[in-house]
Amino acid sequence: KCANIFIFVLYCYTFKCGCNCFRQRLVLSTLSGKRVKIRNIRSKDDNPGLRDFEASFIRLLDKVTNGTRIEINQTGTVLFYQPGLLYGGSVEHECNVQRSIGYYLEALLMLAPFMKTPLRAVLKGVTNDPTDPSVDLLKVTAIPLMKKFGIDGDGLEIKVLKRGMAPAGGGEVLFTCPVRRSMKPVHLTEPGKIKRIRGTAFSVRVSPQMANRIVDSARSILNKFIPDIYIYTDHMKGPCFDPTDSNLYFSSLFQGGCVDSTNQSLSLLYMTLGQQDVSKTLLGPLSPYTVEFLRHIRDFFQIMFKIEQQKPGEDEQKGGEKVLMTCVGAGYSNINKTIK
């Protein structure tokens, strides 16, 4: 008798240098269902292998998925990751204090809409540091962007329950997100003009007057450009203090576009996973992180973007060169979503 032989091909992407764009590869692997093997993770360093914050990130992915298989060699220089199904639900995670909560939250923003059940994640650790996007920044930029792609409702929220600074941490952030079957296509090509400015000045373990002085200093500069300004103050008593402060507000304005540099990769991912229709987004100069993200999107989803340089007209304000990003969505469907 003749026997039918079926051959199943399992894609496994192997990356030789693992520490670069570590989160990108694991996030896209989880969404695409394609397993990855990452080699030579800091193999030539005096302290080779995964860092504690990367191991913490892997544990977070394991918590929000079901059936994920993770293998790490003894030296931590080789990682095998076979993603399971995105499950969601209630999750509590202690983030490593080497990186802020924003490092972990950026990945959840990409994954949360495609889970089986709505995500309710409580992340503990450092809320603000000079390395990663602060929770406040993601709250006021990423959430409105997600709504543009059809992710909305009362269940979409980032809330700072408690602030925590390096090196001790102690902060708590609540992130909730509904699930969606698919992303809708977008045309974000008109940045518009700035009508008002809102912000938050926070202080920890210093006099509350410090936050007021920050507000007065910021207003003395911003009032030269626009009158509608309100900056909130948030003072917290605690066992830690971070003296650093980085304000990239004017830099973001100069670069322009419809999406800030922090959320470029988030918008490009949603465009990639959108319905099989054309999506367009006007961005400022692409960051090196975004360029690498585009390469990984090509590898995992076989989607390539059309990139057009946009030069400002004579009647427009000067700023960084803009790029118009265009693609046809992959028609990604959330197979994990519970059917009601």
Side-chain angles (χ1 to χ4, degrees):
K1 297 181 180 179
C2 296
N4 294 324
I5 301 176
F6 296 93
I7 300 176
F8 294 92
V9 180
L10 296 177
Y11 291 95
C12 182
Y13 291 90
T14 301
F15 299 95
K16 295 182 179 180
C17 184
C19 56
N20 295 329
C21 304
F22 182 81
R23 288 180 304 165
Q24 291 186 10
R25 295 166 182 171
L26 296 188
V27 166
L28 294 177
S29 169
T30 304
L31 289 170
S32 65
K34 298 174 181 176
R35 56 185 183 175
V36 296
K37 191 170 188 177
I38 304 176
R39 301 177 181 270
N40 300 326
I41 302 175
R42 300 185 183 91
S43 57
K44 296 182 180 181
D45 285 13
D46 294 335
N47 182 22
L50 292 168
R51 296 291 183 259
D52 291 341
F53 68 88
E54 292 168 332
S56 177
F57 178 73
I58 295 172
R59 288 194 294 271
L60 175 61
L61 291 182
D62 189 44
K63 288 180 180 180
V64 299
T65 58
N66 187 11
T68 295
R69 179 185 165 197
I70 302 166
E71 296 178 4
I72 303 173
N73 71 341
Q74 190 173 4
T75 60
T77 56
V78 179
L79 166 69
F80 175 79
Y81 180 82
Q82 181 173 315
L85 295 177
L86 281 164
Y87 186 78
S90 295
V91 173
E92 186 173 306
H93 186 69
E94 191 75 36
C95 304
N96 187 273
V97 294
Q98 291 176 348
R99 301 296 291 263
S100 77
I101 291 175
Y103 174 85
Y104 304 86
L105 185 56
E106 279 186 301
L108 289 185
L109 292 171
M110 295 182 173
L111 298 173
F114 307 103
M115 296 187 177
K116 181 177 181 179
T117 59
L119 178 66
R120 186 185 189 277
V122 176
L123 304 178
K124 300 180 179 180
V126 176
T127 54
N128 305 78
D129 74 358
T131 304
D132 301 299
S134 69
V135 176
D136 303 276
L137 175 62
L138 295 176
K139 178 180 179 179
V140 299
T141 58
I143 295 298
L145 177 62
M146 295 172 73
K147 292 180 179 179
K148 296 288 186 181
F149 286 88
I151 309 168
D152 52 13
D154 297 334
L156 181 62
E157 181 185 24
I158 296 177
K159 186 176 182 180
V160 180
L161 304 178
K162 186 193 302 182
R163 291 196 182 276
M165 306 299 165
E172 288 188 20
V173 173
L174 173 65
F175 172 51
T176 58
C177 181
V179 294
R180 290 292 178 267
R181 175 69 68 183
S182 61
M183 297 286 105
K184 71 177 186 180
V186 298
H187 285 74
L188 305 176
T189 57
E190 297 295 333
K193 295 182 179 181
I194 297 173
K195 297 181 180 179
R196 58 183 179 269
I197 297 174
R198 300 291 182 266
T200 302
F202 66 90
S203 59
V204 178
R205 206 182 177 186
V206 294
S207 170
Q209 294 301 319
M210 288 293 295
N212 295 330
R213 290 172 59 183
I214 295 173
V215 172
D216 293 339
S217 178
R219 288 183 63 91
S220 66
I221 299 174
L222 298 174
N223 277 330
K224 298 177 182 178
F225 303 96
I226 191 170
D228 190 354
I229 300 172
Y230 193 88
I231 302 176
Y232 302 88
T233 58
D234 184 2
H235 175 72
M236 189 193 80
K237 297 178 181 179
C240 50
F241 171 60
D242 181 7
T244 59
D245 176 43
S246 58
N247 189 342
L248 302 179
Y249 177 73
F250 286 109
S251 175
S252 298
L253 290 181
F254 178 81
Q255 292 178 359
C258 297
V259 179
D260 66 302
S261 59
T262 300
N263 292 293
Q264 285 179 353
S265 55
L266 180 63
S267 63
L268 295 176
L269 175 67
Y270 286 169
M271 291 170 65
T272 299
L273 302 180
Q275 300 172 12
Q276 292 182 332
D277 200 350
V278 176
S279 287
K280 296 183 178 183
T281 300
L282 184 67
L283 303 178
L286 299 181
S287 67
Y289 186 86
T290 302
V291 173
E292 287 297 324
F293 193 74
L294 287 169
R295 294 188 178 120
H296 284 115
I297 285 178
R298 177 197 59 197
D299 293 338
F300 282 95
F301 289 99
Q302 291 74 53
I303 294 292
M304 296 186 67
F305 282 75
K306 180 181 179 182
I307 305 175
E308 301 174 83
Q309 294 285 343
Q310 301 287 304
K311 295 184 177 180
E314 296 180 357
D315 58 336
E316 296 182 13
Q317 295 291 329
K318 295 181 179 180
E321 289 191 358
K322 316 297 186 296
V323 287
L324 181 63
M325 308 294 294
T326 305
C327 81
V328 177
Y332 184 89
S333 179
N334 182 6
I335 60 174
N336 304 309
K337 184 178 183 295
T338 303
I339 301 176
K340 297 181 179 180

